C-alpha cells in the first residue's frame, strides 16, 4: 500500500529535481516481482542482511512469540529476506539533502503508521525552495 | 486532495478490518494481542530515539536494485535531494 502511494507522487518528486528510493531486506527475486507488479518508476534496493538499515539505527529482532505467529500465517522471513534471525527494519522515511545531511526523519516503531507521501513531497519542495530556516523541516 | 484517500486513512481502515476478527483475515484475539504487545515493546525499546535524526550525516550506500543494477547514494545525491523509505517487505 505504501509503495503504491509513493508511486503516485514519484513524478512530482522528480519534478522537484529530487529522487526517491525504497530500501528493503527482501532479496531481489521478490523485489523484481513486486516492482513489475506495481509498475514502479523508482528503484527498490535490496539491503541484504540489513547492513544499511543497521547504520541508520533501524534494526530490531522479532520476538519469538511473533516469529511463531507469522510462521503460522505462512510468512517466513528466512525465505523472503534470507534472514534466519528474523531481524527487520522499523518503517522509516528520510530526506537527505545533496550535502548528505538528513533534513527530515520519520521513524515509527508502530508499523501501522506511515508518513504521507504528499508530506514528503512538500518537505522536498521546501528543501529546494529555501536554504536553511532551521527546524522548519524537522519531523517528529 | 487527489481521488486517492490519504495513505494513513487507508492503512487505518485495513487495521480496523484486521482487528475486527472478521473474514478474510479471521484474526484471533490472541494473535492481535501478540501483535500489540510486540509493537508496545518495540516502542518501549527506544529504537525511535536511537535511529538517525535530522542534522545527522546519512550513511552512504551502494545496493542492487530490482534489476541487479548497482545504485550508489552518492550518484543520486549529486543530482539533488533524496527521499529514502525503509520498507520491511511485502510478506
Amino acid at each position: 500500500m505504501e509503495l503504491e502511494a509513493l508511486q503516485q507522487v514519484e513524478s512530482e518528486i522528480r519534478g522537484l529535481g529530487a529522487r526517491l528510493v525504497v530500501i528493503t531486506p527482501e532479496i531481489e527475486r521478490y523485489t523484481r516481482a513486486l516492482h513489475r507488479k506495481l509498475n514502479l518508476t523508482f528503484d527498490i534496493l535490496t539491503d541484504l542482511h540489513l547492513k544499511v538499515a543497521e547504520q541508520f539505527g533501524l534494526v530490531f529482532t522479532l520476538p519469538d512469540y511473533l516469529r511463531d505467529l507469522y510462521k503460522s500465517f505462512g510468512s517466513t522471513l528466512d525465505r523472503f529476506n534470507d534472514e534466519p534471525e528474523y531481524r527487520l527494519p522499523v518503517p522509516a522515511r528520510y530526506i537527505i539533502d545533496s550535502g548528505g545531511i538528513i533534513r527530515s526523519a520519520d521513524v515509527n516503531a508502530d508499523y501501522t503508521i506511515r508518513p504521507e507521501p504528499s508530506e514528503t513531497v512538500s518537505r522536498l519542495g521546501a528543501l529546494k525552495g529555501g536554504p536553511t530556516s532551521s527546524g522548519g523541516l524537522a519531523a517528529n | 486532495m487527489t481521488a486517492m484517500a490519504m495513505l494513513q486513512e487507508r492503512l487505518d481502515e485495513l487495521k480496523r478490518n484486521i482487528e475486527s476478527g472478521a473474514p478474510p483475515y479471521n484474526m484471533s484475539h490472541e494473535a492481535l494481542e501478540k501483535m500489540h504487545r510486540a509493537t508496545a515493546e518495540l516502542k518501549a525499546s527506544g529504537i525511535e530515539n536511537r535511529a538517525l535524526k535530522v542534522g545527522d550525516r546519512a550513511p552512504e550506500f551502494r545496493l542492487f536494485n530490482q534489476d541487479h543494477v548497482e545504485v550508489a547514494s552518492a550518484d543520486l545525491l549529486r543530482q539533488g535531494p533524496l527521499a529514502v523509505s525503509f520498507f520491511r517487505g511485502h510478506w
Side-chain angles (χ1 to χ4, degrees):
Chain A
M1 207 178 261
E2 186 179 5
L3 298 186
E4 287 105 313
L6 286 170
Q7 180 57 44
Q8 299 254 317
V9 300
E10 209 273 338
S11 62
E12 266 184 275
I13 290 176
R14 278 189 198 250
L16 290 168
R19 294 292 294 275
L20 162 71
V21 292
V22 165
I23 297 183
T24 178
E26 282 198 334
I27 59 178
E28 283 166 42
R29 190 185 331 150
Y30 297 105
T31 59
R32 193 176 311 126
L34 187 62
H35 197 267
R36 301 226 163 115
K37 185 175 146 205
L38 300 179
N39 270 317
L40 303 177
T41 53
F42 54 83
D43 280 339
I44 307 180
L45 306 179
T46 292
D47 180 22
L48 204 58
H49 304 303
L50 299 113
K51 295 246 162 43
V52 175
E54 220 158 37
Q55 292 182 61
F56 277 83
L58 300 172
V59 178
F60 69 99
T61 302
L62 274 191
D64 291 349
Y65 58 87
L66 207 59
R67 182 183 313 190
D68 294 343
L69 180 67
Y70 285 148
K71 272 187 184 164
S72 75
F73 297 157
S75 298
T76 52
L77 284 187
D78 17 15
R79 179 158 72 94
F80 286 119
N81 298 8
D82 186 29
E83 183 55 47
E85 289 169 37
Y86 280 75
R87 296 180 315 147
L88 281 174
V90 189
R93 194 171 311 145
Y94 285 97
I95 293 175
I96 304 167
D97 70 20
S98 47
I101 302 300
I102 294 171
R103 299 293 296 272
S104 164
D106 283 293
V107 180
N108 205 314
D110 182 346
Y111 64 91
T112 65
I113 297 173
R114 303 292 162 92
E116 287 300 329
S118 56
E119 185 58 33
T120 300
V121 172
S122 54
R123 287 182 194 167
L124 282 166
L127 194 58
K128 189 87 180 167
T132 53
S133 57
S134 78
L137 292 166
N140 282 334
Chain B
M1 203 54 225
T2 57
M4 195 169 213
M6 301 280 277
L7 172 62
Q8 192 58 52
E9 284 172 20
R10 287 181 293 128
L11 288 169
D12 290 345
E13 191 188 346
L14 174 65
K15 188 179 179 180
R16 276 195 299 278
N17 289 337
I18 290 174
E19 301 211 337
S20 71
Y25 305 104
N26 298 311
M27 197 66 76
S28 73
H29 183 68
E30 195 196 9
L32 288 169
E33 229 163 42
K34 283 180 184 167
M35 290 171 172
H36 291 159
R37 179 180 153 202
T39 299
E41 285 173 356
L42 187 58
K43 272 241 178 234
S45 76
I47 193 166
E48 293 165 343
N49 296 322
R50 286 195 303 276
L52 293 188
K53 295 181 181 59
V54 171
D56 289 339
R57 177 160 289 280
E60 289 190 23
F61 56 81
R62 277 180 171 278
L63 297 169
F64 286 104
N65 75 4
Q66 65 286 336
D67 300 313
H68 201 68
V69 174
E70 197 175 42
V71 174
S73 59
D75 292 339
L76 295 172
L77 288 170
R78 253 192 292 283
Q79 302 164 41
L82 178 64
V84 180
S85 223
F86 284 87
F87 177 64
R88 56 195 260 160
H90 72 299
W91 48 280

